[in-house]
Amino acid sequence: AAGVIQSPRHLIKEKRETATLKCYPIPRHDTVYWYQQGPGQDPQFLISFYEKMQSDKGSIPDRFSAQQFSDYHSELNMSSLELGDSALYFCASSLALAKNIQYFGAGTRLSVL
Amino acid sequence: QKEVEQNSGPLSVPEGAIASLNCTYSDRGSQSFFWYRQYSGKSPELIMSIYSNGDKEDGRFTAQLNKASQYVSLLIRDSQPSDSATYLCAVQLLGVFGNEKLTFGTGTRLTIIP
C-alpha cells in the first residue's frame, strides 16, 4: 500500500539559509500534518492542512511557512535557518471522519551547520 | 506539567515476559488515544488505537483505557528483541472533523533482554 512520501530524506544547510521540505500524503487522505522532533524529544506539532486550507497551527516559528497544493502535497518552507532547527521533520496524513489514524512518512533529517 | 506523561525509562524486560507501558493525560476533552513505536532515527509507527474505556487486543498487544482516571496503557506479551524501541503515547482531542493534531508523551524506551 502507498505510504506518505517525504523528500528529501536528508538535508544539510548553513545558518541563515532556506530549506523546503516536501510531503506527498497517502492517496485520498485529506489532512496533512507536520511535526518536528528534536534529538531525544517527542514529536511537536507544527501545522496542519485539511482540504488545502490551514486547519491548525502549533509551535511553528514565524520563519516557517507551509501550504498544501491542489494535488494535496504539502511543502514546509523554512527561512533564516538556525542551529536549533536541526531536527527530524515528519509529515503525517489522515482521512478525516475515519478514526483519523495518522500515518507518518519516513521523515526529513535537517542538519543546520 | 506536560499534557501527556510517560515514564521515560529505560524499561528492561526479559524476552518472553510481559512489558507494561503507562501513560496519563491531563485534558479530559481527549477522545482518541494511540500508541506508536519508534525505532531510533525512524518514523513513528502505529501499534494500537483505542477510543473507548476498556481493553483492546491485537495480537501480542493490548491497550487499556480508563477515561475517568485519564490513564492509558499498553501491554506487550511474549516480548521479543525486535520490540526494543521507544513507545510514544499520543492523545487527540475531539474535533469537528476528527482530524485534530496529536499530542505526544516523551516516550518510554523499552529494551528486551534476550
Side-chain angles (χ1 to χ4, degrees), chain A residues 31 33 35 37 42-43 45 50 90 96-97 99-102 104-105 109, chain B residues 2 34 36 38 42-44 46 51 92 97-102 104-105:
Chain A
T31 308
Y33 314 79
Y35 293 87
Q37 187 174 28
D42 52 288
F45 171 73
Y50 171 60
F90 292 110
L97 301 174
K99 292 296 187 183
N100 190 36
I101 301 294
Q102 294 186 25
F104 284 74
R109 180 175 293 279
Chain B
K2 273 185 70 73
F34 307 90
Y36 283 85
Q38 187 176 31
K42 304 297 184 182
S43 62
L46 182 70
Y51 306 95
Q92 184 187 48
F97 297 108
N99 55 357
E100 302 300 309
K101 66 181 181 184
L102 295 177
F104 288 89

PDB file of all heavy atoms in Angstrom, chain A residues 31 33 35 37 42-43 45 50 90 96-97 99-102 104-105 109, chain B residues 2 34 36 38 42-44 46 51 92 97-102 104-105:
ATOM      1  N   THR A  31      -6.053  15.235   5.013  1.00  0.00           N
ATOM      2  CA  THR A  31      -5.414  16.056   6.041  1.00  0.00           C
ATOM      3  C   THR A  31      -3.919  15.734   6.108  1.00  0.00           C
ATOM      4  O   THR A  31      -3.539  14.559   6.101  1.00  0.00           O
ATOM      5  CB  THR A  31      -6.056  15.829   7.415  1.00  0.00           C
ATOM      6  OG1 THR A  31      -7.479  16.001   7.312  1.00  0.00           O
ATOM      7  CG2 THR A  31      -5.518  16.833   8.421  1.00  0.00           C
ATOM      8  N   TYR A  33      -0.290  16.768   8.220  1.00  0.00           N
ATOM      9  CA  TYR A  33       0.268  17.342   9.438  1.00  0.00           C
ATOM     10  C   TYR A  33       1.790  17.403   9.319  1.00  0.00           C
ATOM     11  O   TYR A  33       2.406  16.515   8.734  1.00  0.00           O
ATOM     12  CB  TYR A  33      -0.063  16.474  10.657  1.00  0.00           C
ATOM     13  CG  TYR A  33      -1.489  16.018  10.763  1.00  0.00           C
ATOM     14  CD1 TYR A  33      -1.965  14.953  10.007  1.00  0.00           C
ATOM     15  CD2 TYR A  33      -2.374  16.622  11.656  1.00  0.00           C
ATOM     16  CE1 TYR A  33      -3.270  14.511  10.113  1.00  0.00           C
ATOM     17  CE2 TYR A  33      -3.687  16.183  11.773  1.00  0.00           C
ATOM     18  CZ  TYR A  33      -4.127  15.129  10.999  1.00  0.00           C
ATOM     19  OH  TYR A  33      -5.425  14.702  11.109  1.00  0.00           O
ATOM     20  N   TYR A  35       5.217  17.637  11.853  1.00  0.00           N
ATOM     21  CA  TYR A  35       5.734  17.546  13.217  1.00  0.00           C
ATOM     22  C   TYR A  35       7.253  17.720  13.173  1.00  0.00           C
ATOM     23  O   TYR A  35       7.911  17.310  12.221  1.00  0.00           O
ATOM     24  CB  TYR A  35       5.422  16.184  13.845  1.00  0.00           C
ATOM     25  CG  TYR A  35       3.956  15.921  14.094  1.00  0.00           C
ATOM     26  CD1 TYR A  35       3.146  15.366  13.101  1.00  0.00           C
ATOM     27  CD2 TYR A  35       3.373  16.214  15.323  1.00  0.00           C
ATOM     28  CE1 TYR A  35       1.796  15.122  13.330  1.00  0.00           C
ATOM     29  CE2 TYR A  35       2.029  15.966  15.561  1.00  0.00           C
ATOM     30  CZ  TYR A  35       1.251  15.422  14.559  1.00  0.00           C
ATOM     31  OH  TYR A  35      -0.086  15.179  14.794  1.00  0.00           O
ATOM     32  N   GLN A  37      10.726  16.853  15.442  1.00  0.00           N
ATOM     33  CA  GLN A  37      11.240  16.068  16.558  1.00  0.00           C
ATOM     34  C   GLN A  37      12.725  16.342  16.741  1.00  0.00           C
ATOM     35  O   GLN A  37      13.559  15.915  15.945  1.00  0.00           O
ATOM     36  CB  GLN A  37      10.994  14.569  16.340  1.00  0.00           C
ATOM     37  CG  GLN A  37      11.355  13.718  17.552  1.00  0.00           C
ATOM     38  CD  GLN A  37      10.979  12.257  17.378  1.00  0.00           C
ATOM     39  OE1 GLN A  37      10.928  11.742  16.262  1.00  0.00           O
ATOM     40  NE2 GLN A  37      10.702  11.573  18.488  1.00  0.00           N
ATOM     41  N   ASP A  42      10.020  14.386  21.993  1.00  0.00           N
ATOM     42  CA  ASP A  42       8.855  13.813  21.344  1.00  0.00           C
ATOM     43  C   ASP A  42       8.473  14.700  20.156  1.00  0.00           C
ATOM     44  O   ASP A  42       8.843  15.875  20.101  1.00  0.00           O
ATOM     45  CB  ASP A  42       7.678  13.707  22.328  1.00  0.00           C
ATOM     46  CG  ASP A  42       7.395  15.024  23.022  1.00  0.00           C
ATOM     47  OD1 ASP A  42       8.203  15.419  23.885  1.00  0.00           O
ATOM     48  OD2 ASP A  42       6.367  15.646  22.698  1.00  0.00           O
ATOM     49  N   PRO A  43       7.736  14.158  19.204  1.00  0.00           N
ATOM     50  CA  PRO A  43       7.308  14.981  18.061  1.00  0.00           C
ATOM     51  C   PRO A  43       6.418  16.130  18.522  1.00  0.00           C
ATOM     52  O   PRO A  43       5.500  15.935  19.319  1.00  0.00           O
ATOM     53  CB  PRO A  43       6.532  13.992  17.191  1.00  0.00           C
ATOM     54  CG  PRO A  43       7.034  12.640  17.600  1.00  0.00           C
ATOM     55  CD  PRO A  43       7.327  12.753  19.067  1.00  0.00           C
ATOM     56  N   PHE A  45       3.886  19.187  17.249  1.00  0.00           N
ATOM     57  CA  PHE A  45       3.027  19.583  16.135  1.00  0.00           C
ATOM     58  C   PHE A  45       3.385  20.990  15.661  1.00  0.00           C
ATOM     59  O   PHE A  45       3.551  21.921  16.467  1.00  0.00           O
ATOM     60  CB  PHE A  45       1.569  19.539  16.592  1.00  0.00           C
ATOM     61  CG  PHE A  45       0.600  20.122  15.610  1.00  0.00           C
ATOM     62  CD1 PHE A  45       0.291  19.452  14.441  1.00  0.00           C
ATOM     63  CD2 PHE A  45       0.001  21.352  15.855  1.00  0.00           C
ATOM     64  CE1 PHE A  45      -0.605  19.979  13.534  1.00  0.00           C
ATOM     65  CE2 PHE A  45      -0.900  21.892  14.957  1.00  0.00           C
ATOM     66  CZ  PHE A  45      -1.201  21.204  13.791  1.00  0.00           C
ATOM     67  N   TYR A  50      -6.300  20.821   6.052  1.00  0.00           N
ATOM     68  CA  TYR A  50      -7.443  19.981   5.712  1.00  0.00           C
ATOM     69  C   TYR A  50      -8.038  20.503   4.421  1.00  0.00           C
ATOM     70  O   TYR A  50      -8.428  21.688   4.350  1.00  0.00           O
ATOM     71  CB  TYR A  50      -8.475  20.001   6.839  1.00  0.00           C
ATOM     72  CG  TYR A  50      -9.781  19.344   6.497  1.00  0.00           C
ATOM     73  CD1 TYR A  50      -9.835  18.007   6.137  1.00  0.00           C
ATOM     74  CD2 TYR A  50     -10.961  20.075   6.527  1.00  0.00           C
ATOM     75  CE1 TYR A  50     -11.036  17.402   5.817  1.00  0.00           C
ATOM     76  CE2 TYR A  50     -12.168  19.483   6.216  1.00  0.00           C
ATOM     77  CZ  TYR A  50     -12.211  18.150   5.864  1.00  0.00           C
ATOM     78  OH  TYR A  50     -13.393  17.559   5.545  1.00  0.00           O
ATOM     79  N   PHE A  90       8.695  15.325  10.399  1.00  0.00           N
ATOM     80  CA  PHE A  90       7.790  14.293   9.909  1.00  0.00           C
ATOM     81  C   PHE A  90       6.531  14.918   9.336  1.00  0.00           C
ATOM     82  O   PHE A  90       5.992  15.885   9.874  1.00  0.00           O
ATOM     83  CB  PHE A  90       7.387  13.340  11.034  1.00  0.00           C
ATOM     84  CG  PHE A  90       8.505  12.486  11.550  1.00  0.00           C
ATOM     85  CD1 PHE A  90       9.036  12.695  12.807  1.00  0.00           C
ATOM     86  CD2 PHE A  90       9.021  11.458  10.773  1.00  0.00           C
ATOM     87  CE1 PHE A  90      10.060  11.903  13.286  1.00  0.00           C
ATOM     88  CE2 PHE A  90      10.051  10.666  11.241  1.00  0.00           C
ATOM     89  CZ  PHE A  90      10.576  10.890  12.501  1.00  0.00           C
ATOM     90  N   ALA A  96      -9.987  12.375   7.424  1.00  0.00           N
ATOM     91  CA  ALA A  96     -10.891  12.877   8.456  1.00  0.00           C
ATOM     92  C   ALA A  96     -12.164  12.044   8.468  1.00  0.00           C
ATOM     93  O   ALA A  96     -12.572  11.474   7.459  1.00  0.00           O
ATOM     94  CB  ALA A  96     -11.218  14.346   8.206  1.00  0.00           C
ATOM     95  N   LEU A  97     -12.791  11.988   9.627  1.00  0.00           N
ATOM     96  CA  LEU A  97     -14.051  11.257   9.816  1.00  0.00           C
ATOM     97  C   LEU A  97     -13.876   9.758   9.604  1.00  0.00           C
ATOM     98  O   LEU A  97     -14.846   9.048   9.384  1.00  0.00           O
ATOM     99  CB  LEU A  97     -15.155  11.797   8.905  1.00  0.00           C
ATOM    100  CG  LEU A  97     -15.488  13.290   9.103  1.00  0.00           C
ATOM    101  CD1 LEU A  97     -16.480  13.761   8.069  1.00  0.00           C
ATOM    102  CD2 LEU A  97     -16.005  13.515  10.513  1.00  0.00           C
ATOM    103  N   LYS A  99     -11.764   7.738  11.842  1.00  0.00           N
ATOM    104  CA  LYS A  99     -10.962   7.422  13.018  1.00  0.00           C
ATOM    105  C   LYS A  99      -9.627   8.157  13.043  1.00  0.00           C
ATOM    106  O   LYS A  99      -8.838   7.977  13.943  1.00  0.00           O
ATOM    107  CB  LYS A  99     -10.712   5.904  13.133  1.00  0.00           C
ATOM    108  CG  LYS A  99     -11.959   5.117  13.445  1.00  0.00           C
ATOM    109  CD  LYS A  99     -12.522   5.485  14.808  1.00  0.00           C
ATOM    110  CE  LYS A  99     -13.675   4.568  15.193  1.00  0.00           C
ATOM    111  NZ  LYS A  99     -14.281   4.965  16.486  1.00  0.00           N
ATOM    112  N   ASN A 100      -9.391   8.946  11.999  1.00  0.00           N
ATOM    113  CA  ASN A 100      -8.226   9.833  11.962  1.00  0.00           C
ATOM    114  C   ASN A 100      -6.935   9.149  12.381  1.00  0.00           C
ATOM    115  O   ASN A 100      -6.193   9.665  13.211  1.00  0.00           O
ATOM    116  CB  ASN A 100      -8.457  11.061  12.841  1.00  0.00           C
ATOM    117  CG  ASN A 100      -7.378  12.105  12.622  1.00  0.00           C
ATOM    118  OD1 ASN A 100      -6.897  12.285  11.516  1.00  0.00           O
ATOM    119  ND2 ASN A 100      -6.973  12.782  13.674  1.00  0.00           N
ATOM    120  N   ILE A 101      -6.656   8.005  11.837  1.00  0.00           N
ATOM    121  CA  ILE A 101      -5.366   7.377  12.079  1.00  0.00           C
ATOM    122  C   ILE A 101      -4.332   8.169  11.276  1.00  0.00           C
ATOM    123  O   ILE A 101      -4.474   8.317  10.060  1.00  0.00           O
ATOM    124  CB  ILE A 101      -5.354   5.916  11.623  1.00  0.00           C
ATOM    125  CG1 ILE A 101      -6.443   5.125  12.364  1.00  0.00           C
ATOM    126  CG2 ILE A 101      -3.987   5.310  11.848  1.00  0.00           C
ATOM    127  CD1 ILE A 101      -6.207   4.982  13.847  1.00  0.00           C
ATOM    128  N   GLN A 102      -3.332   8.676  11.961  1.00  0.00           N
ATOM    129  CA  GLN A 102      -2.288   9.432  11.277  1.00  0.00           C
ATOM    130  C   GLN A 102      -1.129   8.508  10.941  1.00  0.00           C
ATOM    131  O   GLN A 102      -0.578   7.846  11.823  1.00  0.00           O
ATOM    132  CB  GLN A 102      -1.812  10.590  12.159  1.00  0.00           C
ATOM    133  CG  GLN A 102      -2.896  11.636  12.373  1.00  0.00           C
ATOM    134  CD  GLN A 102      -2.411  12.867  13.111  1.00  0.00           C
ATOM    135  OE1 GLN A 102      -1.230  13.201  13.080  1.00  0.00           O
ATOM    136  NE2 GLN A 102      -3.329  13.569  13.757  1.00  0.00           N
ATOM    137  N   PHE A 104       2.656   8.212   9.358  1.00  0.00           N
ATOM    138  CA  PHE A 104       3.819   9.074   9.249  1.00  0.00           C
ATOM    139  C   PHE A 104       4.714   8.685   8.075  1.00  0.00           C
ATOM    140  O   PHE A 104       4.882   7.503   7.765  1.00  0.00           O
ATOM    141  CB  PHE A 104       4.642   9.009  10.543  1.00  0.00           C
ATOM    142  CG  PHE A 104       4.041   9.793  11.666  1.00  0.00           C
ATOM    143  CD1 PHE A 104       2.924   9.344  12.335  1.00  0.00           C
ATOM    144  CD2 PHE A 104       4.589  11.010  12.041  1.00  0.00           C
ATOM    145  CE1 PHE A 104       2.349  10.079  13.366  1.00  0.00           C
ATOM    146  CE2 PHE A 104       4.039  11.755  13.070  1.00  0.00           C
ATOM    147  CZ  PHE A 104       2.912  11.290  13.736  1.00  0.00           C
ATOM    148  N   GLY A 105       5.294   9.704   7.455  1.00  0.00           N
ATOM    149  CA  GLY A 105       6.325   9.463   6.475  1.00  0.00           C
ATOM    150  C   GLY A 105       7.648   9.147   7.160  1.00  0.00           C
ATOM    151  O   GLY A 105       7.753   9.204   8.389  1.00  0.00           O
ATOM    152  N   ARG A 109      15.608  14.482   7.732  1.00  0.00           N
ATOM    153  CA  ARG A 109      16.562  14.877   8.777  1.00  0.00           C
ATOM    154  C   ARG A 109      17.262  16.134   8.303  1.00  0.00           C
ATOM    155  O   ARG A 109      18.010  16.109   7.320  1.00  0.00           O
ATOM    156  CB  ARG A 109      17.576  13.779   9.042  1.00  0.00           C
ATOM    157  CG  ARG A 109      18.586  14.159  10.138  1.00  0.00           C
ATOM    158  CD  ARG A 109      19.521  13.027  10.482  1.00  0.00           C
ATOM    159  NE  ARG A 109      18.824  11.930  11.110  1.00  0.00           N
ATOM    160  CZ  ARG A 109      18.497  11.879  12.387  1.00  0.00           C
ATOM    161  NH1 ARG A 109      18.783  12.891  13.184  1.00  0.00           N
ATOM    162  NH2 ARG A 109      17.893  10.814  12.881  1.00  0.00           N
TER     163      ARG A 109
ATOM    164  N   LYS B   2       3.490  18.405  31.529  1.00  0.00           N
ATOM    165  CA  LYS B   2       3.172  18.068  30.157  1.00  0.00           C
ATOM    166  C   LYS B   2       1.750  17.526  30.078  1.00  0.00           C
ATOM    167  O   LYS B   2       1.220  16.952  31.013  1.00  0.00           O
ATOM    168  CB  LYS B   2       4.155  17.011  29.641  1.00  0.00           C
ATOM    169  CG  LYS B   2       5.437  17.603  29.061  1.00  0.00           C
ATOM    170  CD  LYS B   2       6.303  16.527  28.475  1.00  0.00           C
ATOM    171  CE  LYS B   2       5.724  15.924  27.222  1.00  0.00           C
ATOM    172  NZ  LYS B   2       5.812  16.825  26.059  1.00  0.00           N
ATOM    173  N   PHE B  34      -3.513   6.748  21.093  1.00  0.00           N
ATOM    174  CA  PHE B  34      -2.703   5.939  20.184  1.00  0.00           C
ATOM    175  C   PHE B  34      -1.387   5.568  20.841  1.00  0.00           C
ATOM    176  O   PHE B  34      -0.843   6.327  21.645  1.00  0.00           O
ATOM    177  CB  PHE B  34      -2.415   6.719  18.899  1.00  0.00           C
ATOM    178  CG  PHE B  34      -3.643   7.265  18.216  1.00  0.00           C
ATOM    179  CD1 PHE B  34      -4.128   8.525  18.536  1.00  0.00           C
ATOM    180  CD2 PHE B  34      -4.299   6.527  17.253  1.00  0.00           C
ATOM    181  CE1 PHE B  34      -5.268   9.034  17.918  1.00  0.00           C
ATOM    182  CE2 PHE B  34      -5.436   7.026  16.630  1.00  0.00           C
ATOM    183  CZ  PHE B  34      -5.919   8.281  16.954  1.00  0.00           C
ATOM    184  N   TYR B  36       2.373   4.563  19.470  1.00  0.00           N
ATOM    185  CA  TYR B  36       3.271   4.465  18.332  1.00  0.00           C
ATOM    186  C   TYR B  36       4.591   3.870  18.807  1.00  0.00           C
ATOM    187  O   TYR B  36       5.056   4.143  19.915  1.00  0.00           O
ATOM    188  CB  TYR B  36       3.557   5.844  17.721  1.00  0.00           C
ATOM    189  CG  TYR B  36       2.440   6.404  16.863  1.00  0.00           C
ATOM    190  CD1 TYR B  36       1.382   7.095  17.440  1.00  0.00           C
ATOM    191  CD2 TYR B  36       2.460   6.253  15.483  1.00  0.00           C
ATOM    192  CE1 TYR B  36       0.367   7.629  16.646  1.00  0.00           C
ATOM    193  CE2 TYR B  36       1.453   6.785  14.682  1.00  0.00           C
ATOM    194  CZ  TYR B  36       0.402   7.467  15.274  1.00  0.00           C
ATOM    195  OH  TYR B  36      -0.604   7.994  14.498  1.00  0.00           O
ATOM    196  N   GLN B  38       8.639   3.702  17.881  1.00  0.00           N
ATOM    197  CA  GLN B  38       9.626   4.440  17.106  1.00  0.00           C
ATOM    198  C   GLN B  38      11.014   3.873  17.358  1.00  0.00           C
ATOM    199  O   GLN B  38      11.511   3.901  18.481  1.00  0.00           O
ATOM    200  CB  GLN B  38       9.593   5.938  17.445  1.00  0.00           C
ATOM    201  CG  GLN B  38      10.484   6.769  16.550  1.00  0.00           C
ATOM    202  CD  GLN B  38      10.380   8.262  16.803  1.00  0.00           C
ATOM    203  OE1 GLN B  38      10.135   8.708  17.920  1.00  0.00           O
ATOM    204  NE2 GLN B  38      10.571   9.076  15.743  1.00  0.00           N
ATOM    205  N   LYS B  42      13.975   6.668  13.137  1.00  0.00           N
ATOM    206  CA  LYS B  42      12.909   6.302  12.203  1.00  0.00           C
ATOM    207  C   LYS B  42      11.616   7.018  12.561  1.00  0.00           C
ATOM    208  O   LYS B  42      11.531   7.728  13.556  1.00  0.00           O
ATOM    209  CB  LYS B  42      12.688   4.779  12.223  1.00  0.00           C
ATOM    210  CG  LYS B  42      13.930   3.963  11.932  1.00  0.00           C
ATOM    211  CD  LYS B  42      14.449   4.218  10.524  1.00  0.00           C
ATOM    212  CE  LYS B  42      15.630   3.322  10.208  1.00  0.00           C
ATOM    213  NZ  LYS B  42      16.181   3.595   8.851  1.00  0.00           N
ATOM    214  N   SER B  43      10.615   6.822  11.730  1.00  0.00           N
ATOM    215  CA  SER B  43       9.342   7.497  11.959  1.00  0.00           C
ATOM    216  C   SER B  43       8.458   6.696  12.914  1.00  0.00           C
ATOM    217  O   SER B  43       8.618   5.477  13.052  1.00  0.00           O
ATOM    218  CB  SER B  43       8.615   7.701  10.628  1.00  0.00           C
ATOM    219  OG  SER B  43       8.333   6.456  10.028  1.00  0.00           O
ATOM    220  N   PRO B  44       7.537   7.368  13.590  1.00  0.00           N
ATOM    221  CA  PRO B  44       6.587   6.655  14.457  1.00  0.00           C
ATOM    222  C   PRO B  44       5.707   5.715  13.639  1.00  0.00           C
ATOM    223  O   PRO B  44       5.206   6.082  12.578  1.00  0.00           O
ATOM    224  CB  PRO B  44       5.765   7.787  15.077  1.00  0.00           C
ATOM    225  CG  PRO B  44       6.635   9.009  14.970  1.00  0.00           C
ATOM    226  CD  PRO B  44       7.374   8.826  13.688  1.00  0.00           C
ATOM    227  N   LEU B  46       2.327   3.230  13.952  1.00  0.00           N
ATOM    228  CA  LEU B  46       1.156   2.978  14.783  1.00  0.00           C
ATOM    229  C   LEU B  46       1.107   1.509  15.228  1.00  0.00           C
ATOM    230  O   LEU B  46       1.204   0.599  14.414  1.00  0.00           O
ATOM    231  CB  LEU B  46      -0.122   3.326  14.029  1.00  0.00           C
ATOM    232  CG  LEU B  46      -1.400   3.139  14.829  1.00  0.00           C
ATOM    233  CD1 LEU B  46      -1.504   4.197  15.930  1.00  0.00           C
ATOM    234  CD2 LEU B  46      -2.622   3.203  13.911  1.00  0.00           C
ATOM    235  N   TYR B  51     -10.372   4.018  21.660  1.00  0.00           N
ATOM    236  CA  TYR B  51     -11.271   5.165  21.710  1.00  0.00           C
ATOM    237  C   TYR B  51     -12.270   5.096  22.861  1.00  0.00           C
ATOM    238  O   TYR B  51     -12.865   6.111  23.238  1.00  0.00           O
ATOM    239  CB  TYR B  51     -12.047   5.281  20.392  1.00  0.00           C
ATOM    240  CG  TYR B  51     -11.157   5.323  19.185  1.00  0.00           C
ATOM    241  CD1 TYR B  51     -10.873   4.154  18.469  1.00  0.00           C
ATOM    242  CD2 TYR B  51     -10.573   6.503  18.744  1.00  0.00           C
ATOM    243  CE1 TYR B  51     -10.038   4.176  17.364  1.00  0.00           C
ATOM    244  CE2 TYR B  51      -9.743   6.535  17.635  1.00  0.00           C
ATOM    245  CZ  TYR B  51      -9.486   5.360  16.954  1.00  0.00           C
ATOM    246  OH  TYR B  51      -8.658   5.379  15.856  1.00  0.00           O
ATOM    247  N   GLN B  92      -5.431  12.671  21.269  1.00  0.00           N
ATOM    248  CA  GLN B  92      -6.079  13.574  20.325  1.00  0.00           C
ATOM    249  C   GLN B  92      -7.392  14.084  20.919  1.00  0.00           C
ATOM    250  O   GLN B  92      -8.182  13.292  21.436  1.00  0.00           O
ATOM    251  CB  GLN B  92      -6.347  12.843  19.016  1.00  0.00           C
ATOM    252  CG  GLN B  92      -6.934  13.713  17.918  1.00  0.00           C
ATOM    253  CD  GLN B  92      -7.324  12.877  16.723  1.00  0.00           C
ATOM    254  OE1 GLN B  92      -7.973  11.858  16.856  1.00  0.00           O
ATOM    255  NE2 GLN B  92      -6.906  13.312  15.557  1.00  0.00           N
ATOM    256  N   PHE B  97     -14.047  17.632  12.637  1.00  0.00           N
ATOM    257  CA  PHE B  97     -13.824  16.675  11.555  1.00  0.00           C
ATOM    258  C   PHE B  97     -13.028  15.460  12.013  1.00  0.00           C
ATOM    259  O   PHE B  97     -12.765  14.567  11.225  1.00  0.00           O
ATOM    260  CB  PHE B  97     -13.105  17.363  10.389  1.00  0.00           C
ATOM    261  CG  PHE B  97     -13.899  18.474   9.760  1.00  0.00           C
ATOM    262  CD1 PHE B  97     -13.542  19.791   9.949  1.00  0.00           C
ATOM    263  CD2 PHE B  97     -15.012  18.187   8.987  1.00  0.00           C
ATOM    264  CE1 PHE B  97     -14.277  20.812   9.384  1.00  0.00           C
ATOM    265  CE2 PHE B  97     -15.743  19.206   8.409  1.00  0.00           C
ATOM    266  CZ  PHE B  97     -15.384  20.523   8.601  1.00  0.00           C
ATOM    267  N   GLY B  98     -12.643  15.455  13.272  1.00  0.00           N
ATOM    268  CA  GLY B  98     -11.879  14.320  13.770  1.00  0.00           C
ATOM    269  C   GLY B  98     -10.455  14.297  13.311  1.00  0.00           C
ATOM    270  O   GLY B  98      -9.787  13.265  13.379  1.00  0.00           O
ATOM    271  N   ASN B  99      -9.949  15.435  12.826  1.00  0.00           N
ATOM    272  CA  ASN B  99      -8.572  15.440  12.335  1.00  0.00           C
ATOM    273  C   ASN B  99      -7.718  16.415  13.135  1.00  0.00           C
ATOM    274  O   ASN B  99      -6.986  17.230  12.583  1.00  0.00           O
ATOM    275  CB  ASN B  99      -8.532  15.779  10.846  1.00  0.00           C
ATOM    276  CG  ASN B  99      -9.229  17.093  10.523  1.00  0.00           C
ATOM    277  OD1 ASN B  99      -9.791  17.736  11.406  1.00  0.00           O
ATOM    278  ND2 ASN B  99      -9.183  17.488   9.279  1.00  0.00           N
ATOM    279  N   GLU B 100      -7.832  16.303  14.436  1.00  0.00           N
ATOM    280  CA  GLU B 100      -7.023  17.154  15.302  1.00  0.00           C
ATOM    281  C   GLU B 100      -5.583  16.653  15.370  1.00  0.00           C
ATOM    282  O   GLU B 100      -5.280  15.497  15.078  1.00  0.00           O
ATOM    283  CB  GLU B 100      -7.625  17.172  16.714  1.00  0.00           C
ATOM    284  CG  GLU B 100      -9.065  17.645  16.786  1.00  0.00           C
ATOM    285  CD  GLU B 100      -9.231  19.058  16.276  1.00  0.00           C
ATOM    286  OE1 GLU B 100      -8.478  19.924  16.728  1.00  0.00           O
ATOM    287  OE2 GLU B 100     -10.104  19.286  15.416  1.00  0.00           O
ATOM    288  N   LYS B 101      -4.701  17.538  15.837  1.00  0.00           N
ATOM    289  CA  LYS B 101      -3.290  17.184  15.989  1.00  0.00           C
ATOM    290  C   LYS B 101      -3.131  16.107  17.052  1.00  0.00           C
ATOM    291  O   LYS B 101      -4.032  15.889  17.888  1.00  0.00           O
ATOM    292  CB  LYS B 101      -2.509  18.421  16.425  1.00  0.00           C
ATOM    293  CG  LYS B 101      -2.911  18.887  17.817  1.00  0.00           C
ATOM    294  CD  LYS B 101      -2.150  20.123  18.244  1.00  0.00           C
ATOM    295  CE  LYS B 101      -2.599  20.515  19.653  1.00  0.00           C
ATOM    296  NZ  LYS B 101      -1.968  21.774  20.103  1.00  0.00           N
ATOM    297  N   LEU B 102      -1.998  15.440  17.034  1.00  0.00           N
ATOM    298  CA  LEU B 102      -1.614  14.522  18.095  1.00  0.00           C
ATOM    299  C   LEU B 102      -0.704  15.244  19.075  1.00  0.00           C
ATOM    300  O   LEU B 102       0.185  16.000  18.667  1.00  0.00           O
ATOM    301  CB  LEU B 102      -0.890  13.313  17.525  1.00  0.00           C
ATOM    302  CG  LEU B 102      -1.694  12.388  16.619  1.00  0.00           C
ATOM    303  CD1 LEU B 102      -0.800  11.277  16.082  1.00  0.00           C
ATOM    304  CD2 LEU B 102      -2.881  11.792  17.354  1.00  0.00           C
ATOM    305  N   PHE B 104       1.979  14.222  21.913  1.00  0.00           N
ATOM    306  CA  PHE B 104       2.754  13.049  22.300  1.00  0.00           C
ATOM    307  C   PHE B 104       3.319  13.184  23.703  1.00  0.00           C
ATOM    308  O   PHE B 104       3.611  14.297  24.176  1.00  0.00           O
ATOM    309  CB  PHE B 104       3.934  12.862  21.335  1.00  0.00           C
ATOM    310  CG  PHE B 104       3.556  12.387  19.968  1.00  0.00           C
ATOM    311  CD1 PHE B 104       3.242  13.290  18.964  1.00  0.00           C
ATOM    312  CD2 PHE B 104       3.530  11.031  19.670  1.00  0.00           C
ATOM    313  CE1 PHE B 104       2.891  12.855  17.696  1.00  0.00           C
ATOM    314  CE2 PHE B 104       3.183  10.588  18.408  1.00  0.00           C
ATOM    315  CZ  PHE B 104       2.870  11.498  17.424  1.00  0.00           C
ATOM    316  N   GLY B 105       3.499  12.035  24.348  1.00  0.00           N
ATOM    317  CA  GLY B 105       4.317  11.980  25.537  1.00  0.00           C
ATOM    318  C   GLY B 105       5.778  11.905  25.118  1.00  0.00           C
ATOM    319  O   GLY B 105       6.097  11.787  23.918  1.00  0.00           O
TER     320      GLY B 105
END
